[in-house]
Amino acid sequence: EVQLVESGGGLVQAGGSLRLSCAASGLILEDYAIAWFRQAPGKEREGVLCVSHYDSHTVYADAVKGRFTISRDSAKNTVYLEGNSLKTEDTAVYYCAASSFFTREQHHYNSWGQGTLVTVSS
């Protein structure tokens, strides 16, 4: 059974940083394109960034460009989302997802975590 488990959410002050983890079982993350999505209260889920498993090419949403990055720890079969200079509008439930091909489209991601809530206070 494939499982993605996010962790690391919590309350952060504006201007602070976050580091979210996405640990996988049942699949090898480095064999998949990985994306982070987020859903703010009352809004639709949106893409944060996605990284190719072929060449590590990463596509960032404009809202997080220059502030968020993704990294992998293959030994731990875990990916991380790191962000800094957080804004209140970064408040959301953050999800990691895996796809067999590199895409920004949510519906192509067939393995999802349960999400972790990040709240950025002013």
Side-chain angles (χ1 to χ4, degrees), residues 50-106:
C50 52
V51 60
S52 168
H53 49 317
Y54 296 117
D55 58 5
S56 296
H57 175 64
T58 306
V59 176
Y60 300 88
D62 288 343
V64 305
K65 202 171 294 183
R67 299 189 299 122
F68 284 34
T69 60
I70 188 171
S71 60
R72 298 179 190 257
D73 185 333
S74 297
K76 294 183 178 180
N77 205 24
T78 298
V79 296
Y80 303 95
L81 178 68
E82 295 181 273
N84 54 44
S85 302
L86 292 178
K87 308 174 182 179
T88 55
E89 50 263 45
D90 293 319
T91 294
V93 177
Y94 285 74
Y95 301 88
C96 65
S99 170
S100 57
F101 61 96
F102 182 49
T103 176
R104 300 176 70 171
E105 301 299 321
Q106 295 187 37

